[in-house]
Amino acid sequence: MGNTLRFLVTAGALAGALAFAQEPTTPPAPAPQPGSSDVPGRAARLSYLSGTVSFQPGSVDDWVAAELNRPMTTGDRLWTEDGSRAEVHLGSTVVRLDGRTNFSFINLDDRTAQMQLSAGVISVRVRHLADDEVVEIDTPQAALSLLRPGEYRVEVNEQGDTTLASVRSGQAEATSGQAFTIYPRQQVRISSPAEGGQPVFDQRDIPPADVFDSFAEDRDRREDMSQSGRYVSHDVPGYADLDPYGTWRNTPQYGSVWVPTNVPPGWAPYRFGHWAWVEPWGWTWVDDAPWGYAPFHYGRWVFYQGAWAWVPGPVMATPPVYAPALVAWVGGPGLGVAVGGGGPAVGWFALGPSEVFVPAYAYSPMYIQRVNVTNTVIVNRAVFANVAVANVAYVNRGVAGAVVAVPGGVMVAGRPIAAAAIVVRPEVVARVQVVPVAAVVPDRGAVLGGRAVVGAAPPAAVMNRMVVTRTPPPAARVAFDRERADLAAHPGRPLDHAAAQNLQRSAPAARQQFRTASAASRPMAPATRSEARPSTPARPAAQERRTTEREKSTKKGREKNTKDRN
């Protein structure tokens, strides 16, 4: 199964987050790691779609039409029909799918992002790779570990008996009975062995770029030249999509802020989109706008000089922590009367700068600090000890049109919010309560994002194909139908770690789709990251200059942004 990407949040980087990056040149002090039962600090973003692309959440068997901005996590799968393409961002790493490609996340957490490629073609760009990070792409023939930042391409033919691994820049290692190192400008063809034999490795020079490679290069260039990269961490998926849809302004109070342009009348954050139920976070916002990912899962919103402005989190050494939706929930009898429609009503508004996000899911003291201080400036960390949401004077609560509410049935079915929403009147806002959770129980429609089931799906032979893994996969996701009774017992709260594990242990045994890679012999020992790259061609001088100038420009912009914030 596919790429095993691991990204470890280092203790030093975490300390940098807690210091709000006010001293970016000072080495951060060690800090404890997040709790083992915490939810992941990241999700992948479905960032580009062309043609017919289908999506299957990991907890159901149905396929639906994929949608932009859908967060992806463990067990989620994509399928592209012939002539179609898709793109997934995971921090500063991007994976692009060509037509007739079956791709899924086997595992995605703070330390591991394990992906499956059982058929088709993917292009992978790894922008940053620390010494303790591992990227692995698992196919039917081998587990491919990407050892350096670079550009890679992996192909599996329709029959599933051949893998082509290409390294344009970087370095990779293929493992399946033996380990084979692939250097820049090289391609290795890995063929399935005869019964009981070893896979066949055939090394050759990398072929010229094709149309799909050019597509990936164009997308990379767009991201590299993004103005928003001066203000937003490159580990925030979707920062490049801000450029054509808004402007950056410098403010004395908040530093650099981004203001969307050409928004619909009555626009407010978290109004034009829908809610989806995405385990393990629970209620998750999926925005309609093509730019609508980064500003709804990172940073904070504020109404500034007559317009809504997004305030990104401070740029730090550690990646910012993903949140399902940075909102405060409102409820109570007064809200139900205002909304009407029968049943419980649900309301919310965007959190403002320095306001604490309190998750509906279980969290450790370390997690609530990380998810907040990597997304907004909070000077007094004592606020995390006991946050009473009902007693906070939220800056956006009194903004006209900021509080949005719908009948609960709209939310639990994953239906569009704008068509059913009411803007809560000021007198109602004054008497409704801020509550810890949106206390409604999702149905299957929320898992599917309110989308209809489609027939476009990979062939059964591709779906059931066994793949080679180097990292042991986790237990399969709990089926939504099995967990719904537990969810109904605690409306609005996803299963905690222990409850999910109990359901996993009692689940019927799943069909085995993984074969563990072994490296009995090593014909070409891989270099460690601290060693020089053997046989690595030097970058062309023009490319070297472009990279250096871009890095200098990015550094200058970030230094200016840090100065603005302080």
Side-chain angles (χ1 to χ4, degrees):
M1 255 181 176
N3 317 22
T4 303
L5 297 167
R6 286 182 177 172
F7 300 94
L8 175 63
V9 177
T10 64
L14 177 57
L18 299 184
F20 314 109
Q22 292 177 350
E23 297 292 338
T25 60
T26 302
Q33 295 294 324
S36 60
S37 61
D38 283 330
V39 301
R42 59 182 180 160
R45 177 209 180 195
L46 190 51
S47 53
Y48 176 88
L49 298 169
S50 175
T52 302
V53 182
S54 301
F55 169 71
Q56 184 189 60
S59 61
V60 298
D61 294 329
D62 296 323
W63 289 85
V64 296
E67 60 179 331
L68 202 65
N69 295 325
R70 169 80 185 211
M72 294 183 65
T73 188
T74 299
D76 291 348
R77 186 183 299 266
L78 287 174
W79 165 253
T80 56
E81 289 284 325
D82 192 31
S84 303
R85 287 177 180 157
E87 178 183 85
V88 178
H89 266 86
L90 176 63
S92 62
T93 294
V94 59
V95 181
R96 299 184 177 98
L97 288 63
D98 205 3
R100 295 197 64 77
T101 295
N102 185 50
F103 167 91
S104 71
F105 283 106
I106 305 170
N107 190 16
L108 180 57
D109 59 27
D110 285 358
R111 299 177 62 94
T112 306
Q114 187 174 4
M115 293 177 274
Q116 168 191 352
L117 178 65
S118 55
V121 185
I122 62 171
S123 171
V124 181
R125 186 197 191 195
V126 180
R127 194 166 186 171
H128 306 297
L129 195 64
D131 287 343
D132 50 11
E133 293 177 313
V134 176
V135 180
E136 182 183 309
I137 303 171
D138 299 337
T139 76
Q141 281 67 50
L144 302 166
S145 299
L146 312 188
L147 304 179
R148 301 183 188 278
E151 298 171 0
Y152 305 85
R153 172 170 166 152
V154 184
E155 309 173 48
V156 176
N157 66 351
E158 190 86 12
Q159 295 73 31
D161 58 13
T162 302
T163 294
L164 287 175
S166 304
V167 177
R168 295 205 174 276
S169 62
Q171 185 176 314
E173 181 182 81
T175 307
S176 180
Q178 56 184 340
F180 197 97
T181 305
I182 314 170
Y183 297 111
R185 314 276 199 317
Q186 290 182 348
Q187 182 184 80
V188 171
R189 184 178 187 268
I190 311 170
S191 303
S192 292
E195 190 68 29
Q198 295 290 328
V200 177
F201 292 76
D202 177 20
Q203 182 179 301
R204 76 282 301 272
D205 290 338
I206 197 168
D210 62 11
V211 174
F212 180 58
D213 295 325
S214 298
F215 161 77
E217 290 171 4
D218 288 344
R219 295 288 295 176
D220 286 340
R221 190 178 303 110
R222 170 182 174 273
E223 191 169 309
D224 291 341
M225 302 302 292
S226 170
Q227 177 193 8
S228 298
R230 298 173 54 196
Y231 309 100
V232 184
S233 167
H234 289 180
D235 289 300
V236 172
Y239 71 84
D241 290 321
L242 302 177
D243 290 357
Y245 297 103
T247 58
W248 286 95
R249 300 179 185 176
N250 186 46
T251 69
Q253 187 173 356
Y254 306 111
S256 298
V257 302
W258 180 82
V259 180
T261 54
N262 298 320
V263 293
W267 188 91
Y270 302 98
R271 177 177 173 86
F272 291 86
H274 65 88
W275 292 99
W277 186 261
V278 181
E279 293 280 1
W281 299 277
W283 288 117
T284 299
W285 182 254
V286 182
D287 202 77
D288 290 342
W291 52 265
Y293 190 86
F296 298 98
H297 301 288
Y298 301 89
R300 297 291 191 270
W301 283 93
V302 67
F303 196 73
Y304 182 78
Q305 295 184 347
W308 284 104
W310 178 60
V311 186
V315 178
M316 302 178 177
T318 185
V321 175
Y322 162 89
L326 292 158
V327 300
W329 301 102
V330 296
L335 183 66
V337 171
V339 173
V346 184
W348 59 87
F349 58 88
L351 291 173
S354 300
E355 294 174 353
V356 176
F357 165 64
V358 182
Y361 44 85
Y363 57 85
S364 69
M366 181 57 64
Y367 176 86
I368 195 173
Q369 289 188 36
R370 292 173 62 236
V371 75
N372 281 286
V373 301
T374 60
N375 283 297
T376 191
V377 174
I378 298 177
V379 177
N380 180 14
R381 281 183 278 147
V383 299
F384 301 124
N386 185 18
V387 183
V389 295
N391 299 329
V392 178
Y394 293 99
V395 66
N396 290 331
R397 178 173 177 172
V399 177
V403 179
V404 180
V406 295
V410 173
M411 186 169 177
V412 302
R415 297 203 296 270
I417 293 300
I422 68 155
V423 177
V424 184
R425 299 190 309 276
E427 63 271 21
V428 177
V429 171
R431 65 174 183 265
V432 297
Q433 301 172 332
V434 177
V435 295
V437 298
V440 288
V441 181
D443 64 21
R444 195 180 185 86
V447 178
L448 298 175
R451 302 175 80 79
V453 175
V454 298
V462 172
M463 279 281 291
N464 299 323
R465 185 168 288 160
M466 184 171 289
V467 295
V468 178
T469 63
R470 188 167 182 169
T471 299
R477 285 269 299 277
V478 177
F480 176 74
D481 292 340
R482 294 189 68 243
E483 68 179 7
R484 197 173 189 284
D486 293 75
L487 296 175
H490 305 282
R493 296 191 184 274
L495 299 183
D496 61 28
H497 185 68
Q501 282 190 325
N502 288 337
L503 286 177
Q504 285 173 331
R505 283 192 286 264
S506 63
R511 180 185 178 276
Q512 181 58 257
Q513 285 191 283
F514 312 112
R515 176 170 59 85
T516 303
S518 60
S521 61
R522 305 179 68 85
M524 296 178 67
T528 64
R529 289 180 190 145
S530 60
E531 296 171 342
R533 302 184 187 183
S535 305
T536 302
R539 286 190 294 183
Q543 180 182 346
E544 189 75 43
R545 286 196 300 271
R546 285 196 301 272
T547 302
T548 302
E549 289 167 1
R550 185 167 62 245
E551 289 171 349
K552 286 181 179 178
S553 175
T554 300
K555 182 178 180 181
K556 184 183 293 184
R558 292 190 179 190
E559 287 174 350
K560 179 181 182 297
N561 190 43
T562 301
K563 191 177 298 181
D564 291 342
R565 292 176 185 280
N566 294 333

